[in-house]
Amino acid sequence: MNLEQLPLLQQLMIVLAAVALFTSFVLLEQARLVAAIHAFAWQGVLVAMVTAVVATSGGLEHLFFSAGLTLGLKAVLIPWMLHRLVRRLELDRHSEPLRRPVLVVMAAVALVIFSYWLVLPMVQEGLMFTRNIVAVSLAVVLIGLLMMAVRQQAVAQVLGFMSMENGLFLAAVSATGGMPLVVELGVAFDVLVAMVLFGVFFFQIRESIDSLDVDRMNRLSERGEDL
Amino acid sequence: MLAGVPRLNISGWLNVGISAVTFAASLALAWAVAGAGTVAGMSFRVDAFNVYLLALTAFVGMTTSIFSRPYMRHVRESGRTTDRGLRLYHAMFQLFIFTMLLALATDNLGVLWVAVEGATLATVLLVSLYRTPEAIEAAWKYFILCGVGIALALFGTVLLYFAAQQVVTDPAEGLTWSTLYGVSSQLPPSIMSLAFVFLLVGYGTKVGLVPMHQWLPDAHSEGPTPMSAVLSGLLLNVALYAVVRLKILVDGSLANADSPRLAGYLLMGFGLLSFLVAGLFLHRQRDIKRMFSYSSIEHMGLMTFAFGLGGPLATFGALLHMLVHSLTKSAIFVTVGHAAHIAGTQNIDHIRGLIRTQPAVGWGLLLGVVAIAGFPPFGVFTSEFLLLSATMQTQPWFAVVLLIGLAVAFAGLLRYLQPMVYGVAPEGQRPVSANMLPVMIHLGLVLWLGLAIPSFLAAWLDRATDLITGAHLL
Amino acid sequence: MDHGVSLSPWGLALLQALLYAVLAPLLAGWVRKIKAWLQNRRGASPLQPYRDLYKLFAKEARMAHTASLVFRAAPYIVFAATWMAVSAVPLIAIGLPTGAIADVIVVAGLLALARFFLALAGMDVGTAFGGMGASREMFVSALAEPAMLMAIFTLAMIAHSTNLSSVADYQLLNESGLRPSYMFALAGLVLVAIAETGRIPVDNPSTHLELTMIHEAMILEYSGRHLALMEWAAQLKLLLYGALLVNVFLPWGITRGTDMSDLWLGLAAVVIKLALLGAALALSETVLAKMRLFRVPAFLNLALLLALLGLLSHVILEVGA
């Protein structure tokens, strides 16, 4: 089944998903926090657009609502909150380049291939394009995970976490046409609360170790502490 | 609501009051289920499996709140936290119990996810309540690791919904456990196995399975003691409950596939690994709460292994174990909290001679450790015995491994226990006002369950076993 | 329009090659004109490069004492290799006999040959700037080559052939609509083209500061007809990449036949497309600043990543297993 035979909307969906994958690479590589937040916002916009396209092509009205919710939450609210936090934490000009960029990007590409392989036996031929979008969304999730692992800045780790949520939402939307609304609302609410808590945490962390480099928080170990 | 109450004494009592009401309600529900078999409605579903967990959760919540009232007052007085911290504590405590109950009672797997995530979020701030660098680090690790785990579980849930959509036509029903249970044999096996892997890794992180357990010792040891008690005693159970619910579905789906026991094998593998690793790590601990957290990991591993083994005997044993472990572990943590207050530190090397300073605490600790290590006539012995018999029936070599692991853990616990309880008490150790009532109640229950399981409880567990494995034990 | 006159395929191929050689300076002049215009200057006329070449051909070619045969031969080799490479890229028509050798690998190989001799020439005289230019050029192309090949291979996988004519043909026939792999490959190739042709932000073609030169440094020692050939070869390379980008990715207007009217249409189409591309290039050169040399690897890594994503998108998203 070739690309040309798919209707236009589905082609558009594929393009948007591919660009979303690209933004997760960009997010991974960004040294400057503010630029990373913007990349994350764009990723949110793309995911919302995919949702809207799925909604149009499937005629599922509740998905429009989900698209709007994602747009509002992931593309506007959360980046705005992060931006505000970054300013209060005085990290505007902070720049933290990746330690081994080549290795990290290669790992990310390997994750893309791995997620494709993982999803490969999953769906029969007839649902091809769905499977491929699921592969892309799993790749976004895994790259978010990679970002959390390689970055030491707390805010960057939170961005990785949020990017994972983006990937999950993309998977839900593209593979299943959206989860039941109650679940979506719950998930969105959880993400929002998590974001608020992260914000509180940043200040706590900074108070205690005077920096947001989480690698410096390593006093707890198997030896235990002399309390 | 509790956050708004400024007078701390009152909030403490309110906490207790609300927990008691919750417990009463759960008992009423249990009565209804005992009568009708399954109570369902409005996407809630209470059947034999989760009703006893509901009652357990409410019960332990109540006793812990009884304990926490004077304890937190003491904490406030000793300056480890502030008024606002205390208000937060009470509010989050109730919220936490609520989310756990929601997770247990719901029929919708998506709501289950939301509730488990909600439980995590409610407790994150509480782990860092004391604001020490270690506490903040522990809370951050907890947040991040559990967050990642939960995200993977969400992916598994999405895949599950995807699989369900192939079979169930009504989109709103796609995540309802009852519906899925009915059609589980039609769910496509390849998707289900992939979904289960994600779900196991995700929810398994919250259960504390190795290698996703890194957050557990830190989080359980750095938070205030009542928090450790409920985290260890209850949240782990809820996560394991989620895993088992999903396993039921996966088993139905894989029954006709190439590897029908895949879910079981995965559970056994993770469970065994957790059990052994935790038992070994137990020996290296210097902090008393961390030591008992590893004991929690070990027991959860044992339960996971048992659920993976399948079959009515092992499942019955595992269900019983969930019950008694919860009671015993929370009792232990309460006692440990008192012990730490007496000694002024959580470091094992510095806690000595408890039985001389305050016999109640000393005896409590002694009995608690004896119970958790699996001595008869405590309940833990019964469940472990059932488990071992089941293992010997089906996979005899594993029984040997289990015995070795149990012995290792046993040695570790007792090795540290002995000097703590019987050693020479250092100068200046004074007794504190300790409310040992909850501990005594819990341990008493465990003892009772060890001696003679009351028939209604046995019937309960039996019905749950039937639900999980499709076969009765009794 | 009379359809009577039509050329033989070989004649058409020759015509195309000649057109390339003739149009190359025009493109360079056009880009320069637009840049001047954007900078609020009037700028030289787009035909100025022709006058420059004419002037250079008339002048005497001076060489250093230390120059060897390589130095003397290099301009001819570079020009010949580049001209051969460029005549393989479809300009106004596809399906020509030169199309048979228009394998992407051949084109890349010829360009590599040209670059090799250019670098040798730079080092030949023994000046510091020549050596520096040669090493930088090799550095940039070593990074750009994988990206270019990856992008080209993505195209080849889609069209099931490495022949440029076939690729353009496939695009033409299939109305493929939106394809993420094409988009990514296009983006990657644009970045590579900028690096290979020595435009801002990789290299400034009109710089007079020797320390910032790459391409200019290598031809610093040349004069007279040698310099003319080198400049012309650089302009041909720009036209090559331009034609590659517009005719392979956006091949509308290209003809398959040899009818005169179709050929005029093809010529008009490609001229318009190249004019637009040239304007876009001028715009980007005005807006962007030249990067410092140590940032070039990041730039080319981005190109490689884009090309790689194109390939992955093709395999993952567009092809049923």
Side-chain angles (χ1 to χ4, degrees):
Chain A
M1 188 170 168
N2 265 326
L3 187 70
E4 295 88 25
Q5 297 162 12
L6 293 177
L8 183 65
L9 278 178
Q10 291 182 341
Q11 286 188 353
L12 182 63
M13 212 182 315
I14 291 183
V15 169
L16 289 173
V19 181
L21 183 62
F22 179 59
T23 53
S24 68
F25 271 93
V26 171
L27 189 58
L28 183 63
E29 284 248 64
Q30 271 303 327
R32 288 168 43 235
L33 267 182
V34 177
I37 295 177
H38 291 161
F40 170 70
W42 278 113
Q43 200 183 49
V45 169
L46 283 166
V47 171
M49 278 167 72
V50 173
T51 315
V53 168
V54 171
T56 332
S57 75
L60 306 158
E61 286 87 32
H62 78 270
L63 267 190
F64 279 116
F65 178 67
S66 297
L69 186 66
T70 308
L71 192 66
L73 191 66
K74 293 277 182 57
V76 175
L77 187 60
I78 289 187
W80 177 75
M81 286 170 78
L82 279 170
H83 207 102
R84 216 176 55 142
L85 275 171
V86 163
R87 256 190 317 204
R88 278 172 67 187
L89 292 166
E90 286 140 27
L91 287 172
D92 291 37
R93 306 238 169 260
H94 178 94
S95 157
E96 175 210 345
L98 277 181
R99 264 173 310 184
R100 292 167 194 234
V102 174
L103 219 51
V104 168
V105 172
M106 274 170 41
V109 170
L111 281 177
V112 174
I113 298 177
F114 171 67
S115 55
Y116 177 57
W117 171 80
L118 205 57
V119 172
L120 200 53
M122 208 178 81
V123 183
Q124 311 94 318
E125 182 60 36
L127 295 170
M128 169 209 71
F129 102 96
T130 312
R131 172 189 79 212
N132 302 334
I133 303 259
V134 170
V136 166
S137 48
L138 182 58
V140 171
V141 171
L142 290 177
I143 292 181
L145 193 55
L146 181 67
M147 184 172 172
M148 285 175 82
V150 298
R151 289 251 173 229
Q152 310 112 305
Q153 239 276 354
V155 181
Q157 284 188 350
V158 169
L159 275 175
F161 178 74
M162 291 295 167
S163 154
M164 276 177 87
E165 296 281 335
N166 264 346
L168 289 172
F169 187 73
L170 190 64
V173 159
S174 57
T176 67
M179 311 253 275
L181 200 57
V182 134
V183 176
E184 297 229 342
L185 281 176
V187 173
F189 182 65
D190 269 341
V191 169
L192 187 59
V193 172
M195 187 60 236
V196 169
L197 285 180
F198 273 125
V200 172
F201 251 102
F202 290 150
F203 286 101
Q204 287 190 1
I205 293 180
R206 209 183 44 159
E207 250 174 59
S208 95
I209 58 171
D210 211 24
S211 104
L212 277 177
D213 188 347
V214 299
D215 269 355
R216 299 207 194 155
M217 292 198 296
N218 55 3
R219 294 172 68 171
L220 286 175
S221 72
E222 292 310 289
R223 290 265 155 232
E225 273 295 313
D226 281 320
L227 290 173
Chain B
M1 178 178 61
L2 277 169
V5 175
R7 293 278 301 281
L8 300 172
N9 300 338
I10 299 186
S11 67
W13 282 112
L14 254 183
N15 204 7
V16 175
I18 294 179
S19 308
V21 167
T22 317
F23 179 55
S26 74
L27 277 182
L29 200 57
W31 205 253
V33 170
T38 305
V39 170
M42 271 211 324
S43 88
F44 282 98
R45 176 202 164 90
V46 181
D47 55 18
F49 185 20
N50 56 10
V51 72
Y52 91 98
L53 281 175
L54 278 171
L56 178 66
T57 309
F59 178 64
V60 174
M62 183 178 75
T63 52
T64 311
S65 63
I66 295 177
F67 158 70
S68 90
R69 195 188 52 81
Y71 182 82
M72 291 313 280
R73 197 177 56 199
H74 175 106
V75 161
R76 166 77 186 90
E77 280 158 15
S78 65
R80 286 172 90 182
T81 183
T82 62
D83 275 349
R84 276 181 64 196
L86 215 46
R87 292 220 298 260
L88 181 71
Y89 166 77
H90 284 273
M92 287 298 145
F93 189 86
Q94 285 302 323
L95 188 63
F96 177 52
I97 302 279
F98 169 67
T99 48
M100 279 200 292
L101 292 175
L102 181 64
L104 286 172
T106 182
D107 198 14
N108 185 321
L109 291 169
V111 175
L112 173 68
W113 184 88
V114 171
V116 173
E117 165 87 341
T120 313
L121 292 175
T123 46
V124 156
L125 278 179
L126 291 182
V127 172
S128 73
L129 195 66
Y130 291 155
R131 293 277 196 277
T132 62
E134 290 86 8
I136 294 182
E137 179 193 340
W140 178 257
K141 253 204 233 174
Y142 177 43
F143 202 174
I144 291 281
L145 284 174
C146 281
V148 167
I150 289 281
L152 290 176
L154 182 59
F155 189 72
T157 313
V158 168
L159 282 178
L160 184 66
Y161 188 53
F162 180 53
Q165 274 193 330
Q166 319 290 328
V167 175
V168 175
T169 46
D170 181 3
E173 289 287 310
L175 279 177
T176 321
W177 191 83
S178 340
T179 323
L180 289 175
Y181 184 54
V183 298
S184 65
S185 53
Q186 298 170 30
L187 295 168
S190 51
I191 308 180
M192 286 303 282
S193 27
L194 188 64
F196 185 70
V197 171
F198 275 104
L199 286 164
L200 180 59
V201 171
Y203 283 123
T205 313
K206 290 223 56 90
V207 173
L209 297 175
V210 173
M212 293 98 56
H213 69 288
Q214 308 286 350
W215 59 275
L216 208 154
D218 298 332
H220 285 200
S221 61
E222 291 299 329
T225 309
M227 201 38 39
S228 315
V230 288
L231 277 177
S232 240
L234 297 178
L235 189 55
L236 300 181
N237 269 355
V238 171
L240 188 58
Y241 160 81
V243 172
V244 174
R245 274 272 186 221
L246 292 160
K247 174 176 178 286
I248 299 177
L249 290 178
V250 175
D251 274 347
S253 152
L254 287 180
N256 303 321
D258 293 331
S259 53
R261 303 276 333 274
L262 176 67
Y265 289 144
L266 280 174
L267 282 176
M268 279 170 69
F270 272 109
L272 202 57
L273 185 64
S274 313
F275 177 65
L276 292 172
V277 168
L280 289 171
F281 267 81
L282 198 64
H283 285 259
R284 293 187 58 196
Q285 297 313 306
R286 291 274 162 275
D287 178 311
I288 188 171
K289 277 195 192 171
R290 279 179 80 95
M291 183 177 85
F292 283 115
S293 327
Y294 273 104
S295 164
S296 293
I297 299 179
E298 185 207 341
H299 281 275
M300 294 314 285
L302 197 59
M303 283 184 250
T304 315
F305 177 79
F307 278 121
L309 201 55
L313 188 58
T315 312
F316 188 90
L319 288 169
L320 183 62
H321 199 102
M322 273 170 102
L323 186 58
V324 294
H325 173 258
S326 187
L327 289 170
T328 319
K329 205 31 91 50
S330 39
I332 289 184
F333 268 105
V334 166
T335 318
V336 163
H338 286 312
H341 259 168
I342 294 175
T345 172
Q346 281 180 215
N347 193 324
I348 293 181
D349 292 331
H350 295 165
I351 303 180
R352 288 278 178 273
L354 286 171
I355 210 159
R356 300 181 211 297
T357 316
Q358 187 164 3
V361 172
W363 272 108
L365 192 60
L366 180 62
L367 285 176
V369 172
V370 156
I372 201 81
F375 263 88
F378 283 101
V380 180
F381 173 74
T382 319
S383 54
E384 285 181 358
F385 182 73
L386 287 172
L387 259 147
L388 278 171
S389 334
T391 323
M392 270 197 272
Q393 279 175 9
T394 48
Q395 315 262 16
W397 283 111
F398 280 130
V400 175
V401 177
L402 281 182
L403 276 171
I404 297 179
L406 281 172
V408 166
F410 181 72
L413 286 170
L414 281 176
R415 166 182 157 199
Y416 288 121
L417 178 71
Q418 218 267 347
M420 277 199 289
V421 174
Y422 285 114
V424 176
E427 291 295 317
Q429 222 173 282
R430 237 167 259 12
V432 299
S433 72
N435 189 348
M436 293 300 286
L437 186 59
V439 177
M440 292 311 165
I441 297 178
H442 280 208
L443 287 177
L445 276 175
V446 174
L447 184 61
W448 181 30
L449 286 172
L451 291 172
I453 302 180
S455 61
F456 69 85
L457 185 62
W460 243 352
L461 292 175
D462 190 44
R463 273 221 296 267
T465 312
D466 181 34
L467 186 65
I468 297 177
T469 59
H472 284 269
L473 178 65
L474 302 170
Chain C
M1 277 277 195
D2 76 306
H3 298 262
V5 182
S6 76
L7 297 172
S8 74
W10 275 108
L12 194 49
L14 194 61
L15 178 66
Q16 193 168 264
L18 283 173
L19 261 177
Y20 267 121
V22 166
L23 283 179
L26 184 58
L27 180 64
W30 168 253
V31 172
R32 233 183 281 173
K33 177 81 179 176
I34 299 280
K35 252 171 94 172
W37 186 69
L38 282 171
Q39 291 168 1
N40 251 338
R41 296 183 278 125
R42 269 177 42 200
S45 125
L47 301 174
Q48 184 61 22
Y50 291 108
R51 298 194 196 110
D52 289 335
L53 283 176
Y54 180 67
K55 169 190 83 177
L56 283 171
F57 270 118
K59 280 196 168 182
E60 182 192 358
R62 305 273 306 168
M63 284 178 288
H65 295 301
T66 49
S68 73
L69 181 63
V70 174
F71 189 80
R72 258 174 291 212
Y76 301 102
I77 298 179
V78 168
F79 183 74
T82 315
W83 197 12
M84 253 206 294
V86 86
S87 39
V89 177
L91 185 66
I92 52 178
I94 53 181
L96 300 178
T98 44
I101 61 147
D103 200 287
V104 148
I105 306 193
V106 171
V107 170
L110 283 170
L111 285 177
L113 183 71
R115 195 187 312 122
F116 175 60
F117 274 98
L118 190 57
L120 278 183
M123 292 192 292
D124 189 69
V125 186
T127 61
F129 290 121
M132 179 191 82
S135 79
R136 284 179 176 180
E137 171 74 18
M138 281 301 152
F139 169 62
V140 169
S141 59
L143 295 172
E145 193 101 357
M148 181 172 84
L149 285 176
M150 188 75 68
I152 299 282
F153 281 142
T154 308
L155 293 178
M157 275 190 77
I158 298 176
H160 305 289
S161 152
T162 52
N163 190 308
L164 281 173
S165 305
S166 316
V167 174
D169 203 12
Y170 187 88
Q171 253 286 51
L172 208 53
L173 281 179
N174 277 309
E175 293 302 330
S176 344
L178 304 164
R179 271 179 181 272
S181 57
Y182 259 33
M183 280 168 40
F184 282 127
L186 179 63
L189 258 185
V190 165
L191 293 182
V192 166
I194 290 179
E196 287 270 346
T197 54
R199 314 297 298 189
I200 291 177
V202 175
D203 179 22
N204 189 344
S206 58
T207 183
H208 51 277
L209 304 168
E210 288 103 342
L211 282 176
T212 61
M213 290 177 182
I214 299 181
H215 181 255
E216 299 298 314
M218 289 185 289
I219 60 177
L220 206 56
E221 293 289 321
Y222 279 113
S223 54
R225 59 179 185 279
H226 295 160
L227 184 57
L229 284 173
M230 287 296 208
E231 291 274 346
W232 205 354
Q235 288 158 358
L236 268 177
K237 202 164 165 188
L238 181 64
L239 185 58
L240 187 156
Y241 275 104
L244 192 65
L245 285 174
V246 300
N247 276 344
V248 171
F249 284 97
L250 311 158
W252 305 293
I254 255 194
T255 65
R256 213 169 287 108
T258 54
D259 262 1
M260 262 329 249
S261 54
D262 290 336
L263 291 177
W264 281 116
L265 182 65
L267 184 63
V270 82
V271 163
I272 293 175
K273 285 189 280 187
L274 281 175
L276 287 172
L277 187 68
L281 179 63
L283 184 63
S284 81
E285 289 209 318
T286 314
V287 167
L288 296 171
K290 176 168 150 17
M291 287 188 301
R292 293 187 59 183
L293 193 66
F294 66 84
R295 304 236 350 236
V296 171
F299 181 80
L300 289 169
N301 279 340
L302 181 62
L304 180 61
L305 179 65
L306 284 169
L308 196 56
L309 275 181
L311 191 63
L312 285 175
S313 304
H314 175 67
V315 170
I316 293 180
L317 288 173
E318 297 170 4
V319 173

